[in-house]
Amino acid sequence: MKYTYYGHSCFAVEAGGKTLLFDPFISGNPLALNIDIHSIKADFILLSHGHGDHVADAIQIANNTGATCIAAAEIAYWLQAKGINNVHAMNHGGAVPVDFGTLRCVNAVHSSSLPDGSYGGNPLGFVITTATGNFYYSGDTALTLDMQLIPNWAKLDFAVLPIGSNFTMDVADAIVASDFIKCNKVIGVHYNTFPPIAIDTAKAVTDFEAAGKTLLLPAIGETIEIGS
Ligand code: NI
Ligand code: MN
């Protein structure tokens, strides 16, 4: 699998023969000025919840790429009202076959409203299995015991977890989450974009090392190969 970081919680994973783009927030991110959203390719756009720092560029990139947008039902219908017809509405507990493998929507402990104040439904995490590997993106969430269910559904090759605290888990809780999901290879997101989520990244990496785990923090614009 290939992972490309676009800043904040926006990343693409090439897996199962498709390109999956998550939580596009680029044009409003001062750290992602080098990223041209018109250069981003996607077969699917997955939105964990409705907050602006996760959906800001979704409509633009959906229009550019023709990608299928997968999100909570309320967000999917909001996109349809904005002219995006290629949507797949889901909710917690849904586990379905998709072109790239299987997709399961799991709990995230957070909130979800859309930029215009519309109700965004439940915030989601995603467990994805493909022919080329499996991964979990938690979305914005607190640490939750529900994460202990995830190993029942997938043997993960890596997980993408927020580490910035204030709005989500911090590094210490992400380390516990990594125990719950039985996956020692974590890619950190949702840190350093704004002052409330600024962290000491060197300490974050050594804290993971001390727990016998790996925290990967690719640079914005960087692509890494990742697998088991
Ligand atoms: Ni959020
Ligand atoms: Mn967020």
Side-chain angles (χ1 to χ4, degrees), residues 18 28 124 133 160 172 225:
K18 301 291 179 186
L124 304 177
V160 181
E225 277 286 346

Side-chain angles (χ1 to χ4, degrees), residues 46-47 60 67 79 91 103 148 173 177 201 208 215:
L46 291 89
L47 305 173
Q60 172 85 65
L79 290 168
N91 212 328
L103 171 64
Q148 294 180 352
D173 283 353
T201 52
F208 266 77
L215 176 67

Side-chain angles (χ1 to χ4, degrees), residues 49 51 53-54 110-111 140 190:
H49 64 293
H51 290 159
D53 60 320
H54 298 258
H110 194 64
S111 55
D140 281 8
H190 216 274

